[in-house]
Amino acid sequence: MPNKERDSVRRNLLAALMRKADADLYPSSTMLDVIESLLTEEDLPQYERLLLSHIDGDAYPSIPMIRRLQRFA
């Protein structure tokens, strides 16, 4: 498959998973792992916002989610 088509598949899959992770109160670690495997530098700010919104919106935020975000700091 040509690189342009591969990138399109990557972007579409990443967008779908980001929407699902954003809508899910507790996105699975597997889904977040796949998202992280698809990220480019350009995608990182959106993913950071997604994690921060989950951390900010929870009275007792998930330590694994905090650590995920910490890895990008």
Side-chain angles (χ1 to χ4, degrees), residues 25-44:
L25 188 57
Y26 302 106
S28 74
S29 60
T30 302
M31 185 182 304
L32 296 177
D33 288 344
V34 173
I35 288 171
E36 289 175 9
S37 76
L38 296 169
L39 289 175
T40 64
E41 288 291 323
E42 182 179 290
D43 304 314
L44 192 54

Side-chain angles (χ1 to χ4, degrees), residues 22-70:
D22 190 41
D24 191 347
L25 188 57
Y26 302 106
S28 74
S29 60
T30 302
M31 185 182 304
L32 296 177
D33 288 344
V34 173
I35 288 171
E36 289 175 9
S37 76
L38 296 169
L39 289 175
T40 64
E41 288 291 323
E42 182 179 290
D43 304 314
L44 192 54
Q46 181 183 2
Y47 184 60
E48 290 172 352
R49 285 191 299 273
L50 182 144
L51 293 178
L52 277 173
S53 73
H54 281 287
I55 291 167
D56 282 341
D58 197 338
Y60 304 99
S62 158
I63 299 302
M65 192 166 296
I66 292 169
R67 289 193 176 131
R68 279 181 188 278
L69 188 56
Q70 185 180 28

